[in-house]
Amino acid sequence: MRTRRTAAAALAVLALTAVAACGKDSKPAAAGISYEVKKDVSVSGSKTFDAAQKRGYLVVGAKADQPNLGFEDVASGTRTGFDIEIAKMVAADLGFAADKVKFKTIPSTNRETAISGGEVDYYVGTYTINDDRKKQVSFAGPYYVAGQDLLVAKDNTDITGPETIKGKKVCSATGSTSIARVKEYGGEPVAFDTYSQCVDKLLDKSVDALTTDDAILKGYAAQYPDKLKVVGKPFSQEPYGIGLNKDDKALRDAINNAIEAHEKNGDWKKAYDATLGKSGSDATAPQLARY
Ligand code: GLU
């Protein structure tokens, strides 16, 4: 009896700890928006699209630990966030309902190989469009523009912008545009696969700052409002694109058309307000950079 009660008490403590660890606002709500699914779609000349149609579902690469952008609730397997909504809007225009989109978590450093190796049909996950990456993959978009910023402890007063990170331990993700700039500004880079690992390091004070896009950092600051703050001086432009196979111009055009249509019909704004807008980022749908 005693053991049972002790076990039950231990379980209750565990459950409470789990809730506490999530923080007050840490479980981002599902946007609850549905997008009209197009019928009889064909994307002439796209091998990726043809294969997905034959398979009966899309495989979309995403992040899983970035609140209000790409986040997976591990217990339920539910994915939420602006990137997830963008992925679903595009899928709907390609003829795939939300339940026909299978998300696969891919960290920053594995994106190019996952896309070019055909592991995913397309990728939506805070993925900056740049010329270097264009050598390996193609991009539709941009559908949003973020800027690199810094996340520090709430009581930190000495890190006020990139020029103040000299000699400081600054955490970021391997293979990201963010980590490359730490060295440029004289910081000591600490690299992990994911940004949430950096959040843990910042919370236990083994690093001085976390640097990446403001849109991502605001999500973490909202999770730990009493412990962390965003410095708020963006020092780069990060246009977010949808990554896809380099040779698939037909799919790139179709995805660009989908983004444009959903910006025009108000879905973009609705999705934004239900997700990223909650982290306190401004809403700006940028001009598409078709090529
Ligand atoms: N947007 C930046 C990048 O694509 C940083 C965020 C990320 O790693 O996803 O490298």
Side-chain angles (χ1 to χ4, degrees), residues 63 66 108 111 125-128 133 175-178 195 212-213 216 238 240:
K63 295 290 185 74
Q66 299 180 179
S108 297
R111 288 183 287 211
T126 59
Y127 197 15
T128 295
R133 290 172 177 169
S176 66
T177 55
S178 327
Y195 296 109
T212 187
D213 306 336
I216 301 173
E238 308 291 330
Y240 288 173

Side-chain angles (χ1 to χ4, degrees), residues 166-178:
K166 207 168 260 170
K168 305 270 189 215
K169 285 196 181 121
V170 183
C171 196
S172 198
T174 314
S176 66
T177 55
S178 327

Side-chain angles (χ1 to χ4, degrees), residues 16 203 261 268:
L16 273 178
L203 289 170
W268 186 100

Side-chain angles (χ1 to χ4, degrees), residues 92-151:
D93 276 24
L94 295 176
F96 295 86
D99 64 347
K100 296 281 183 274
V101 181
K102 207 174 144 184
F103 285 101
K104 196 166 183 181
T105 305
I106 311 272
S108 297
T109 191
N110 294 346
R111 288 183 287 211
E112 289 79 28
T113 43
I115 295 166
S116 57
E119 230 182 284
V120 297
D121 296 323
Y122 55 88
Y123 185 96
V124 194
T126 59
Y127 197 15
T128 295
I129 303 172
N130 66 31
D131 288 344
D132 212 31
R133 290 172 177 169
K134 275 191 192 164
K135 289 177 198 151
Q136 295 179 71
V137 301
S138 225
F139 288 101
Y143 59 89
Y144 185 76
V145 181
Q148 186 167 348
D149 211 320
L150 291 149
L151 184 75

Side-chain angles (χ1 to χ4, degrees), residues 24-76:
K24 197 168 64 196
D25 297 312
S26 69
K27 195 168 156 188
I33 307 167
S34 56
Y35 308 102
E36 202 186 314
V37 181
K38 286 212 172 137
K39 291 205 180 78
D40 304 320
V41 182
S42 72
V43 182
S44 171
S46 171
K47 280 193 196 138
T48 303
F49 177 82
D50 290 347
Q53 219 172 33
K54 215 166 150 196
R55 196 193 300 133
Y57 60 91
L58 280 167
V59 183
V60 176
K63 295 290 185 74
D65 66 333
Q66 299 180 179
N68 291 330
L69 277 160
F71 190 84
E72 183 180 22
D73 177 49
V74 185
S76 65

